[in-house]
Amino acid sequence: MPAKLEGKVATAPPRPNHIRPASVAALAAVADVHLTRPGHADVQVTGVTLRAQQVVPGDLYAALPGAHAHGADFAEAALANGAVAVLTDEAGAARESLRDVPVLVHPRPREVVGLLAAHVYGRPSTKVRLWGVTGTSGKTTTTYMIESVLKAAGRQTGLIGTVGTRIGDEQLGSSHTTPEAPDLQALFAVMAERGVTDVAMEVSSHALHMGRVAATEFEVGAFTNLSQDHLDFHADMEEYFQVKAQLFDGRARREVVCVDGEWGPRLVKDTTVTVSTTGPATWTASGVEVSATGEQTFTAHGPDGDVEIHLPLAGSFNVANALVAIACLHEEGIGTDAVQAGLSTVQVPGRMQRVDEGQAFTAVVDYSHKPAAVALALDAVRAKTDGRVIVVLGCGGDRDRAKRPLMGEAAAQRADVVIITDDNPRSEDASSIRAAMLEGALATANRGEVLEIGDRRLAIFKAVELAHPGDVVVVAGKGHETGQEIAGVVHPFSDVDTLTAAIRKAHR
């Protein structure tokens, strides 16, 4: 059952106001697909969607095969809403409900729906500059850094990613890190219409694997890092890497790769701009200094000299993210003044986000929801405190089960107190998820205290209750999210708001 946000109805993604219609015959030629009814070749298409309930008159409805249902099951509703043509496979084309409409048939329709949408919306990715960032961790932070610098340089910006979508200053919601292919092409067209010049965009492995960024042309493609995640979706780490590597198959005019670790170097070509915090590269960093608040200064060394950087974000990994952003921006000729100004003011929701209510301990919310990210976050706060580290951590349901004990282990190795709690259990039994995390935590040698509190709100309040002056409380896993999914229902929940409330209550 799809999740429903209580009290809210999902809205359709934006569409451009001005569209030059495309005939189904032209679409068939563009994607080299079979048109079942040539007599309908002149039917004009003005939009594309995968969702029958979001069809508007003039749309091409993409009826894709799925794990639980076939999109053709909903074709009748799509046609009733005004769809004028359908893209599907042979199984879908055989449906009785499609006998009187033009049908574009392809054995793997998902592979061509992005191309068709790009054609309908006028190849919009060529009308804005796209800055694509992929990797396991750091995508959101790096895109926020790029956007902040572009704004400082006077560019009109857009942002697409996990936290949401932004067109200028208008904030939209986000159901995927990277929207579905037709929604993405429509979004590019809307941004271009509204004067956006540059779009910083997260590119997930799901998006690459499922063709969401097909027919999308990037000005710059960047790689941050790779660690275990999404192994419920990918067979193993090698497959995960190969999918990420698709961003570097020629669809980006320039490529920037962080070569720290084992995976990045495999992406390097003669023209690749490299980044490293540990060894030789096109861009490196030195003189990193961290203040008591976690803010950092360092010197970035690049082809044209040094740049002094002030970064209001904690964690050594954010130095690497900043270097990736700086390298991308340098490739596009963004000046040093804008780089310094943009990075000095960047803020990223739910990424090492401090909650300060005047308390005598440090409180941080972070989106770390994979073993390596948990380790990096806790190592970062450990390096700046002589007190204890207290972490609240859960794992999502219906996702990579293998990482659960590893996350428990990573937390127990680094924190003085680990409170295992619920994240988004989704359709799974929450106690079984916690049990897997506890197994990893309790098996760790030299571990600290490990507690289990299933109710996430109570777990956060407990962490604050335990905190002494000089300690650090880290609430990890959900970051910017404003809901908790349990048994198919998304209940309002914010780690930042809950942590704030807990601190205020403790200091009344």
Side-chain angles (χ1 to χ4, degrees), residues 22-26 35 37-44 102:
S23 70
V24 291
L35 177 61
R37 288 167 181 80
H40 294 80
D42 292 333
V43 168
Q44 300 295 299

Side-chain angles (χ1 to χ4, degrees), residues 235-250:
D236 51 33
M237 288 296 293
E238 180 61 28
E239 180 185 293
Y240 182 29
F241 169 74
Q242 292 297 337
V243 170
K244 291 285 191 186
Q246 291 176 25
L247 184 59
F248 306 93
D249 63 5

Side-chain angles (χ1 to χ4, degrees), residues 20-242:
R20 181 178 296 176
S23 70
V24 291
L27 294 179
V30 164
D32 192 22
V33 298
H34 173 61
L35 177 61
T36 60
R37 288 167 181 80
H40 294 80
D42 292 333
V43 168
Q44 300 295 299
V45 173
T46 53
V48 185
T49 185
L50 305 181
R51 302 173 184 88
Q53 71 272 27
Q54 292 180 354
V55 165
V56 298
D59 272 358
L60 170 71
Y61 170 56
L64 309 183
H68 305 294
H70 197 295
D73 298 338
F74 310 99
E76 191 170 345
L79 295 171
N81 286 338
V84 296
V86 175
L87 167 70
T88 191
D89 57 9
E90 291 285 356
R95 304 298 174 93
E96 185 68 17
S97 59
L98 300 183
R99 66 182 184 278
D100 296 323
V101 295
V103 180
L104 300 170
V105 184
H106 189 278
R108 296 172 301 281
R110 183 175 285 279
E111 292 182 5
V112 298
V113 66
L115 175 61
L116 295 176
H119 186 78
V120 169
Y121 296 122
R123 295 183 62 216
S125 70
T126 65
K127 299 174 183 177
V128 294
R129 282 180 289 268
L130 293 181
W131 307 66
V133 181
T134 196
T136 304
S137 300
K139 295 188 298 296
T140 299
T141 298
T142 304
T143 54
Y144 267 74
M145 289 175 173
I146 290 171
E147 183 205 32
S148 185
V149 172
L150 290 172
K151 283 185 173 181
R155 302 282 183 90
Q156 300 303 306
T157 61
L159 184 76
I160 301 172
T162 308
V163 176
T165 295
R166 193 157 54 233
I167 304 174
D169 293 326
E170 180 187 355
Q171 186 75 36
L172 308 178
S174 181
S175 58
H176 298 297
T177 297
T178 312
E180 292 284 5
D183 301 340
L184 184 63
Q185 297 299 328
L187 182 58
F188 291 151
V190 170
M191 288 181 169
E193 273 189 352
R194 297 188 188 179
V196 168
T197 59
D198 295 81
V199 181
M201 175 182 171
E202 296 180 49
V203 184
S204 67
S205 63
H206 288 68
L208 290 159
H209 182 77
M210 301 178 74
R212 293 178 191 158
V213 289
T216 298
E217 299 180 32
F218 293 89
E219 194 70 19
V220 181
F223 174 85
T224 57
N225 53 63
L226 197 77
S227 63
Q228 181 170 334
D229 198 20
H230 302 307
L231 295 190
D232 56 318
F233 185 78
H234 302 292
D236 51 33
M237 288 296 293
E238 180 61 28
E239 180 185 293
Y240 182 29
F241 169 74
Q242 292 297 337

Side-chain angles (χ1 to χ4, degrees), residues 9 12 20 147 152 167-168 213 261 298 307 317 360 366 371 417-418 435 441 488:
V9 178
R20 181 178 296 176
E147 183 205 32
I167 304 174
V213 289
F298 66 93
V307 184
F317 49 90
D366 191 61
V417 180
V418 179

Side-chain angles (χ1 to χ4, degrees), residues 123-478:
R123 295 183 62 216
S125 70
T126 65
K127 299 174 183 177
V128 294
R129 282 180 289 268
L130 293 181
W131 307 66
V133 181
T134 196
T136 304
S137 300
K139 295 188 298 296
T140 299
T141 298
T142 304
T143 54
Y144 267 74
M145 289 175 173
I146 290 171
E147 183 205 32
S148 185
V149 172
L150 290 172
K151 283 185 173 181
R155 302 282 183 90
Q156 300 303 306
T157 61
L159 184 76
I160 301 172
T162 308
V163 176
T165 295
R166 193 157 54 233
I167 304 174
D169 293 326
E170 180 187 355
Q171 186 75 36
L172 308 178
S174 181
S175 58
H176 298 297
T177 297
T178 312
E180 292 284 5
D183 301 340
L184 184 63
Q185 297 299 328
L187 182 58
F188 291 151
V190 170
M191 288 181 169
E193 273 189 352
R194 297 188 188 179
V196 168
T197 59
D198 295 81
V199 181
M201 175 182 171
E202 296 180 49
V203 184
S204 67
S205 63
H206 288 68
L208 290 159
H209 182 77
M210 301 178 74
R212 293 178 191 158
V213 289
T216 298
E217 299 180 32
F218 293 89
E219 194 70 19
V220 181
F223 174 85
T224 57
N225 53 63
L226 197 77
S227 63
Q228 181 170 334
D229 198 20
H230 302 307
L231 295 190
D232 56 318
F233 185 78
H234 302 292
D236 51 33
M237 288 296 293
E238 180 61 28
E239 180 185 293
Y240 182 29
F241 169 74
Q242 292 297 337
V243 170
K244 291 285 191 186
Q246 291 176 25
L247 184 59
F248 306 93
D249 63 5
R251 69 184 78 198
R253 291 183 62 238
R254 296 176 175 84
E255 297 176 356
V256 174
V257 173
C258 180
V259 294
D260 294 339
E262 64 179 297
W263 301 100
R266 294 175 57 181
L267 296 172
V268 175
K269 312 181 185 80
D270 290 342
T271 56
T272 303
V273 176
T274 57
V275 165
S276 178
T277 59
T278 61
T282 313
W283 284 91
T284 59
S286 69
V288 178
E289 294 186 4
V290 185
S291 73
T293 62
E295 296 188 1
Q296 303 181 88
T297 58
F298 66 93
T299 303
H301 308 282
D304 297 331
D306 297 346
V307 184
E308 301 301 322
I309 299 296
H310 172 254
L311 193 64
L313 303 177
S316 60
F317 49 90
N318 277 324
V319 174
N321 292 335
L323 277 180
V324 171
I326 292 166
C328 291
L329 293 155
H330 177 268
E331 286 301 296
E332 285 300 300
I334 303 300
T336 297
D337 289 348
V339 168
Q340 291 173 317
L343 291 181
S344 70
T345 58
V346 66
Q347 295 294 329
V348 189
R351 272 63 177 178
M352 298 301 286
Q353 180 177 349
R354 292 193 66 190
V355 176
D356 189 353
E357 294 292 321
Q359 74 276 8
F361 59 89
T362 301
V364 175
V365 170
D366 191 61
Y367 190 54
S368 46
H369 57 283
K370 60 212 72 163
V374 170
L376 285 169
L378 296 182
D379 285 343
V381 299
R382 170 66 71 191
K384 294 308 297 179
T385 183
D386 294 325
R388 298 177 306 159
V389 174
I390 302 168
V391 63
V392 177
L393 181 67
C395 270
D398 303 334
R399 299 293 188 268
D400 183 1
R401 294 171 183 256
K403 73 178 182 180
R404 295 170 185 173
L406 300 178
M407 286 179 64
E409 178 183 4
Q413 285 176 340
R414 293 165 174 83
D416 300 282
V417 180
V418 179
I419 304 177
I420 301 294
T421 189
D422 294 343
D423 191 289
N424 294 309
R426 301 186 175 90
S427 69
E428 284 195 65
D429 172 58
S431 64
S432 66
I433 300 173
R434 297 195 304 271
M437 296 184 70
L438 284 165
E439 180 184 355
L442 295 174
T444 302
N446 301 317
R447 61 177 173 80
E449 183 180 6
V450 178
L451 306 176
E452 179 184 6
I453 303 175
D455 185 305
R456 191 172 183 89
R457 180 179 181 276
L458 294 180
I460 293 171
F461 271 68
K462 183 64 174 179
V464 169
E465 177 189 323
L466 293 173
H468 299 150
D471 289 348
V472 180
V473 172
V474 179
V475 179
K478 291 175 61 61

